[in-house]
Amino acid sequence: MPLSCECDYDENCDWYFDRPEDYSTLDSKRRRRCCSCKELIDVGATVLSFERWRTPQCESIEEKIYGEGENVPLAPWIMCERCGDIYFSLGELGFCVNLDESMLALLSEYQVNYGPKEKRCNQTKEQTT
């Protein structure tokens, strides 16, 4: 999904997430992959952790486990510090960003479309040749 200022989320998403307020430390037993760039993140590294959940799919069973009207927790998605910086920056600029998108690709798109005018002209010329 390209950069957009409009979030077109509907009520029937597969899962939902909370935007973290700040960075944390990866305190798992193993390294994890960044949900954006797919690079391995070392234990103890600075990360963004996105808590995720979904609505119950099998109400009779999942409501017994988690309680009536409660959401089903999912494993958090982890984002490396580099991608997290880009995620926060694009969010502060008013863009809607999906977690599984490449933050580096979105940053490149931002630079091409919204960067300094002379830089945009040079990149457009390079792309046409």
Side-chain angles (χ1 to χ4, degrees):
M1 182 173 115
L3 281 176
S4 173
C5 295
E6 296 179 14
C7 298
D8 58 350
Y9 303 118
D10 60 6
E11 295 296 320
N12 297 322
C13 293
D14 291 337
W15 52 270
Y16 304 90
F17 69 94
D18 286 327
R19 178 185 166 133
E21 294 294 320
D22 204 358
Y23 294 93
S24 61
T25 302
L26 182 61
D27 59 357
S28 62
K29 294 181 180 181
R30 297 184 189 147
R31 298 189 300 170
R32 301 273 308 266
R33 287 212 182 265
C34 174
C35 62
S36 176
C37 69
K38 310 301 185 220
E39 293 290 321
L40 281 173
I41 305 169
D42 291 327
V43 174
T46 302
V47 296
L48 284 181
S49 180
F50 294 87
E51 298 300 321
R52 302 182 316 133
W53 72 92
R54 66 173 171 78
T55 56
Q57 294 175 347
C58 181
E59 292 181 14
S60 61
I61 295 172
E62 291 179 338
E63 282 187 353
K64 286 180 184 177
I65 296 170
Y66 299 106
E68 189 172 331
E70 293 296 317
N71 293 316
V72 178
L74 299 173
W77 274 14
I78 305 298
M79 190 177 284
C80 68
E81 186 175 13
R82 178 181 62 175
C83 292
D85 288 344
I86 299 168
Y87 174 82
F88 276 142
S89 296
L90 291 174
E92 290 297 318
L93 291 170
F95 292 102
C96 293
V97 179
N98 288 332
L99 298 182
D100 58 347
E101 291 185 73
S102 169
M103 296 299 135
L104 296 172
L106 291 176
L107 179 60
S108 295
E109 181 182 342
Y110 175 81
Q111 290 170 334
V112 167
N113 293 323
Y114 303 101
K117 189 173 183 178
E118 61 276 354
K119 198 171 192 178
R120 284 188 278 166
C121 293
N122 291 338
Q123 287 180 347
T124 305
K125 288 176 187 176
E126 291 172 8
Q127 291 173 353
T128 58
T129 56

